[in-house]
Every structure is written in structure tokens, then in C-alpha cells.
Amino acid sequence: MEQIVSQPYKYYFWKRFFLFFIPLMVVGILSEPMIIQNPFEELEDYGAFLFFILFYIIVFGGLAALIVSIMWRIRQFKLKH
């Protein structure tokens, strides 16, 4: 019974995850001056760029996953009632 429930969730999650993740990343990157206005003159500039990109990927990935999981729970609650 758990396999039947977990497969639709995985499909639901991965189908909608990138629909939230990509717009969040675009808005996040466009609003961050450390990424957009980085002069890349020193090695520290490359490190800061890499840090901010990875930070945004982790944070916005978690936020997108949270949104999709909440949507799944709401959908399951509506289907039960």
C-alpha cells in the first residue's frame, strides 16, 4: 500500500518542483547584487559568486520543496473529505 502512495507523490513532486524552483532562482539571482554586479577581478570574487549561487540553490530548492509538499498535503486532505 505504501508503494502505491509514494509513487504518485514522487511524480507529483518532480513534476511541480521545477515549476517553483526556476522562477524562484531567477528572481533571487536578479535581485542579488553580489551575483549580478560581481567584477570577477580577484579570486575572492569567484568564491563569493560560487558561495551565493550554492546558497541560493539550497535555500530556494528547500523552499520549492516545502511549497510542493504543502500543496500535496492540501490535495490529499481535500481528496479524503
Side-chain angles (χ1 to χ4, degrees):
M1 184 81 176
E2 286 185 26
Q3 279 186 327
I4 295 171
V5 174
S6 66
Q7 286 179 351
Y9 175 73
K10 288 180 185 179
Y11 176 75
Y12 181 88
F13 179 84
W14 288 114
K15 185 177 177 185
R16 287 161 179 82
F17 175 76
F18 291 105
L19 292 175
F20 288 104
F21 179 70
I22 292 172
L24 283 173
M25 279 298 293
V26 169
V27 169
I29 287 173
L30 292 177
S31 67
E32 179 58 51
M34 192 62 175
I35 294 174
I36 299 297
Q37 299 171 355
N38 196 339
F40 295 108
E41 293 175 353
E42 298 178 8
L43 186 58
E44 292 173 353
D45 296 332
Y46 291 101
F49 177 79
L50 184 63
F51 172 76
F52 277 99
I53 288 291
L54 291 176
F55 180 75
Y56 274 92
I57 288 172
I58 291 170
V59 170
F60 287 138
L63 185 61
L66 177 69
I67 291 169
V68 172
S69 294
I70 290 172
M71 288 174 51
W72 171 259
R73 296 292 179 187
I74 291 171
R75 181 175 173 251
Q76 292 300 313
F77 181 75
K78 286 181 181 180
L79 290 176
K80 285 184 178 181
H81 294 277

